[in-house]
Amino acid sequence: MTHQIGDGAAIAAETRLPVVSDLRALDVAFGGQGAPIVPLGEKLLFAPHEYFLNLGGIANISIHRNNVMIAYDICPANRILNMLASQKGLPYDDKGSMAARGTVNELLLQEISTLEYYSLPYPKSLANSYGIETVFPLIKRSRVSTEDGLATYTQHIVQQIKKALEPSQKEETQSLFITGGGAFNTFLIQQLTQVLAEINFTPFVPDDKVVANKEALIMALLGVLRWREQDTVLASVTGAARNSIGGALWLGTEA
């Protein structure tokens, strides 16, 4: 199942504007994951890039290759880092400065990396509850310091991203387009740059406005595509039976 916060009908009635909501529901009805939902927007707005990484609460990747798109959630990301930073009374670890002072706990790193989700094939997706209820308790039980927890989990994120990109390795260097709040985490990007060099990938972080707003921009575009009755969700990404024109359309004005 999928549930969107906010009531499209109520918003349309209050604003007297047309509203598109519940973009994932039809894809789920067709047997898909309902996520990731942004690859079509990436293709339309950010070509000719082929590899996209979003470092949000969850890290997800999109691979656009030979006119086929593959996308899936990699692992919880900022959700865990922010929960760890909150132990110090902070909303987040600014630029990864606390993580940079920590030491990776190899036993904890191995324990997190052996969770079942990481061995599943795509299409696959994660709910925020996975990080809260499954991953974070492992870190808490290890009794590592906040700094060591941040360093360890940063390394986990980096390792899982490398694992996701390894099948796409080529002799020539390829660019990875990175957005989301994690792109502002200097330490994370530094660690990622070092590890991805081993498989001939180099991170590309665009303008700050794109980093912060790419997903919101794409959601607006998907609303336009729904209005035009064009595909908004891709079966190759979600595992659904077919592509679909997802989204409920609520007309706040008189017909």
Side-chain angles (χ1 to χ4, degrees), residues 133-168:
E133 299 171 4
T134 301
V135 178
F136 191 69
L138 293 179
I139 301 173
K140 290 288 287 183
R141 284 200 297 269
S142 72
R143 298 184 180 277
V144 296
S145 68
T146 297
E147 290 80 3
D148 289 356
L150 285 163
T152 301
Y153 200 75
T154 297
Q155 186 62 29
H156 172 72
I157 295 170
V158 168
Q159 285 187 356
Q160 294 306 316
I161 293 169
K162 179 186 178 185
K163 179 180 175 182
L165 287 169
E166 278 179 331
S168 301

Side-chain angles (χ1 to χ4, degrees), residues 6-92:
D7 186 324
I11 296 170
E14 182 68 24
T15 63
R16 302 297 177 90
L17 294 169
V19 174
V20 175
S21 64
D22 299 316
L23 285 165
R24 306 175 193 273
L26 186 58
D27 182 79
V28 172
F30 278 122
Q33 297 279 319
I37 202 171
V38 299
L40 184 56
E42 291 169 340
K43 177 183 179 182
L44 295 173
L45 296 178
F46 299 107
H49 292 279
E50 295 183 333
Y51 300 91
F52 297 86
L53 174 69
N54 179 62
L55 291 171
I58 294 170
N60 50 62
I61 193 164
S62 301
I63 299 172
H64 303 217
R65 194 172 51 215
N66 300 325
N67 294 318
V68 175
M69 281 178 263
I70 296 167
Y72 59 92
D73 289 340
I74 297 175
C75 64
N78 295 341
R79 170 70 62 175
I80 302 298
L81 299 178
N82 293 349
M83 290 176 73
L84 285 165
S86 71
Q87 296 178 155
K88 296 285 190 179
L90 299 170
Y92 59 92

Side-chain angles (χ1 to χ4, degrees), residues 109-126:
L109 180 63
Q110 182 177 5
E111 184 178 13
I112 298 172
S113 300
T114 55
L115 289 170
E116 182 183 9
Y117 179 80
Y118 300 122
S119 63
L120 297 176
Y122 61 80
K124 58 182 180 177
S125 62
L126 286 168

